[in-house]
Amino acid sequence: MDYDAVVIGGGVIGSAIIRYLSLYNMKTLLVEKEEDISSGTTKANSGIVHAGYDPEPGTLKAKLNVKGAKMIKEESGKLHFDYKVNGAMVVSFSPNDDYKIDELFERGIKNGVEDMEIISGDEARRLEPNLSENITKCLYLKSSAIVCPFSLTQALSENAYENGAEFKFNTKVENVEKTEGGYKITTNSGTTITTRAVINAAGVYGDTINNMVSEKKLHITPRRGSYMLFDNETQGMFNSTIFQLPSSKGKGVLVTPTVHGNLMIGPNSVDIPDKDDTSTTAFDLDYISKEALRTSPSIPFRKVITSFSGLRAHEDSGDFIVGEVEDAPGFFNATGIESPGLSSSLSIGEMVARMVADRLGIEKKENPVLERKAAPRPKEMSIDERNELIKSNPSYGRIVCRCEEISEGEIIDAITRPLGARSLDGVKRRVRAGMGRCQGGFCSPKVMELIEKYASIPFDEITKNSKGSNITMEDKVYV
């Protein structure tokens, strides 16, 4: 066998699984059909670390959400990803619905959520002055947090890499079949990979992968949600994440700060047939705009800098599907992972890795790498610290992205560190070059020059993200 375990899918779930697998004495591989980690659902995530009040008690969602949220907080100091406890509010707009706040509070108690309280609309507005006057009651969750999904996924993958895990990008799984003692995976390149165990973390394609080996068929519906992101001039408008009362299709349109200081609103929830359709529509954006205005009439829509959509993997059962498939020994699912999937990612990763290790009879490593070195961030340093950094490496004094104040040194680090960026979006997700008001209009050519130099990719082969999204054509640059 080539490997002990192969993970299919490089989102936050697959990256969490490969990270925890890498803590065991096994040979592991992650395969991802795109050019980078975080290229699917993870790249269009709200970044909320949910406290755990919403899932039905007794479900995997409830169990893994509460545990996972605590694990993310614990690991943030070791793996150095962007994380902040900012609190959250679930708001009611009518006395007729106030009883639902009480129900959510009771559900949170059953799920083991800590630091919750019910407050009045007036008390909520004292904490968040830009809230609507129509808000009557609020569930206040002090332990809720926000995280950068890209940063978290990058940290998990880099740590796995440091522990010996291997990664193959631009590698689409075409088929998985049982063999004696394991599985054979066929990829789009025509190569085959043999492994003792397979872990299916393929997001909206999780049913497709499962149904290749199991008679117990799954069915995933892509559930599209759109977001609007605002300029960081909106920083401080809200400190907490504001949820509306949840429905059967999700937690409703939220208003939240990001860990980087932007304001963000969304998502809506639309079931679609196409597993690759991440388009945004005027109808979707109009809907989330109107819904967000219910939360706050002060939202400054002139400050919107971009909009985007992502797909959630809604499986018909309604709960996470995590574990070994009954009729396919050695094949493990981590699928149907919709909200609170990000919050549950580390607990899912730990759970699956333990199951795989038990199946294969493999013990943990004695001295795995448990911490990840943080990248320098001049913008967050004091003047003296920044001057010392620039003195030791002048590239940190040359600003490439003016909107986000990202230096050449940070971009070089993003390209040259383990599992470094190989596309414009790869750089953007790691260090935010191109994430500001101009959306890369100014800095993209320079970033491309750095990718060409430090990743040894010819200029005309550099892409925005996936294969075919080349930036240059006929010696011209389109940004």
Side-chain angles (χ1 to χ4, degrees):
M1 293 289 174
D2 296 326
Y3 296 94
D4 293 306
V6 173
V7 179
I8 302 173
V12 69
I13 302 301
S15 295
I17 292 169
I18 196 72
R19 189 269 175 158
Y20 283 98
L21 285 173
S22 76
L23 304 183
Y24 290 85
N25 286 305
M26 63 175 79
K27 187 177 181 182
T28 58
L29 169 70
L30 182 147
V31 294
E32 165 57 44
K33 67 185 180 70
E34 302 296 343
E35 96 293 351
D36 199 3
I37 56 174
S38 305
S39 293
T41 294
T42 301
K43 78 172 184 294
N45 191 287
S46 57
I48 311 300
V49 183
H50 297 286
Y53 66 88
D54 186 49
E56 188 69 32
T59 60
L60 268 179
K61 284 183 178 181
K63 174 185 175 182
L64 295 171
N65 181 171
V66 174
K67 182 179 180 181
K70 292 178 180 178
M71 291 176 69
I72 288 176
K73 183 176 183 179
E74 292 168 1
E75 292 288 355
S76 64
K78 300 175 184 177
L79 298 181
H80 300 288
F81 51 83
D82 299 308
Y83 171 87
K84 180 181 180 181
V85 176
N86 69 318
M89 298 181 180
V90 185
V91 298
S92 169
F93 297 100
S94 168
N96 295 330
D97 289 330
D98 285 354
Y99 74 94
K100 296 178 182 178
I101 296 292
D102 300 319
E103 291 178 348
L104 290 176
F105 180 84
E106 291 302 319
R107 182 177 290 187
I109 293 294
K110 291 178 182 178
N111 288 344
V113 179
E114 302 172 351
D115 295 325
M116 292 188 302
E117 64 176 302
I118 295 174
I119 61 177
S120 68
D122 288 338
E123 290 173 305
R125 280 182 288 276
R126 278 195 286 272
L127 293 169
E128 296 287 355
N130 288 306
L131 284 174
S132 167
E133 290 294 326
N134 295 326
I135 291 171
T136 55
K137 199 172 185 178
C138 171
L139 176 62
Y140 184 33
L141 303 129
K142 298 179 182 178
S143 64
S144 185
I146 48 179
V147 68
C148 174
F150 322 131
S151 176
L152 170 60
T153 308
Q154 177 193 354
L156 293 167
S157 295
E158 283 187 13
N159 186 241
Y161 182 86
E162 291 294 313
N163 279 300
E166 298 177 29
F167 291 75
K168 288 184 183 294
F169 297 108
N170 294 308
T171 304
K172 182 180 179 181
V173 172
E174 301 283 2
N175 192 39
V176 181
E177 57 183 299
K178 299 177 186 178
T179 62
E180 186 175 350
Y183 291 86
K184 182 173 73 172
I185 299 171
T186 306
T187 70
N188 57 343
S189 66
T191 59
T192 59
I193 302 165
T194 59
T195 179
R196 297 173 66 194
V198 174
I199 301 93
N200 172 23
V204 293
Y205 285 94
D207 55 352
T208 303
I209 301 297
N210 172 85
N211 297 347
M212 291 176 180
V213 301
S214 176
E215 292 302 316
K216 185 179 179 182
K217 304 304 181 185
L218 300 179
H219 178 255
I220 288 176
T221 300
R223 185 164 281 178
R224 188 175 65 198
S226 298
Y227 294 86
M228 299 171 75
L229 185 71
F230 294 72
D231 190 272
N232 56 20
E233 289 182 3
T234 58
Q235 185 168 4
M237 184 174 180
F238 283 97
N239 296 308
S240 306
T241 299
I242 314 299
F243 296 101
Q244 299 173 359
L245 284 168
S247 70
S248 61
K249 284 198 171 183
K251 298 178 178 67
V253 171
L254 59 85
V255 178
T256 186
T258 70
V259 286
H260 302 291
N262 303 82
L263 182 70
M264 185 168 66
I265 64 172
N268 60 336
S269 183
V270 181
D271 290 348
I272 60 173
D274 187 347
K275 293 178 184 285
D276 295 309
D277 183 4
T278 55
S279 59
T280 54
T281 70
F283 178 85
D284 292 340
L285 298 180
D286 183 61
Y287 173 82
I288 64 173
S289 298
K290 289 177 179 176
E291 284 294 298
L293 285 171
R294 295 176 62 212
T295 298
S296 172
S298 305
I299 293 175
F301 287 98
R302 289 180 179 272
K303 300 293 184 181
V304 173
I305 58 174
T306 192
S307 59
F308 59 93
S309 293
L311 302 177
R312 287 157 279 181
H314 177 72
E315 210 282 323
D316 291 351
S317 68
D319 198 4
F320 295 161
I321 299 175
V322 181
E324 190 171 17
V325 175
E326 289 182 9
D327 62 346
F331 184 96
F332 297 81
N333 273 322
T335 193
I337 311 296
E338 54 186 335
S339 182
L342 178 77
S343 310
S344 309
S345 57
L346 270 62
S347 53
I348 292 172
E350 181 186 57
M351 178 181 178
V352 172
R354 185 175 63 250
M355 289 177 173
V356 174
D358 288 346
R359 158 59 71 177
L360 301 181
I362 294 176
E363 300 294 327
K364 280 191 173 181
K365 294 176 179 175
E366 290 187 7
N367 295 297
V369 179
L370 297 176
E371 298 196 15
R372 165 182 171 262
K373 183 180 179 181
R377 292 187 175 177
K379 186 178 177 180
E380 299 175 6
M381 295 177 177
S382 69
I383 292 296
D384 290 341
E385 291 171 332
R386 194 166 184 170
N387 286 339
E388 283 299 313
L389 176 64
I390 295 169
K391 184 178 179 180
S392 64
N393 187 340
S395 68
Y396 284 99
R398 294 190 286 271
I399 299 299
V400 174
C401 173
R402 297 179 181 180
C403 298
E404 294 291 325
E405 298 179 30
I406 306 301
S407 67
E408 180 179 298
E410 291 165 272
I411 296 169
I412 294 171
D413 180 80
I415 297 166
T416 58
R417 69 187 296 119
L419 302 177
R422 294 296 180 266
S423 65
L424 282 176
D425 281 0
V427 171
K428 179 170 71 172
R429 287 194 287 264
R430 284 164 174 79
V431 293
R432 295 185 60 78
M435 195 74 82
R437 181 182 297 177
C438 84
Q439 290 290 287
F442 176 82
C443 63
S444 289
K446 180 61 178 178
V447 174
M448 291 174 66
E449 289 179 9
L450 295 172
I451 293 174
E452 179 182 41
K453 180 177 180 180
Y454 290 96
S456 299
I457 300 174
F459 197 82
D460 60 356
E461 294 181 15
I462 296 171
T463 60
K464 183 181 187 299
N465 40 58
S466 58
K467 186 177 181 180
S469 62
N470 298 60
I471 306 299
T472 60
M473 185 179 296
E474 297 178 358
D475 299 323
K476 296 179 181 179
V477 179
Y478 297 89
V479 293

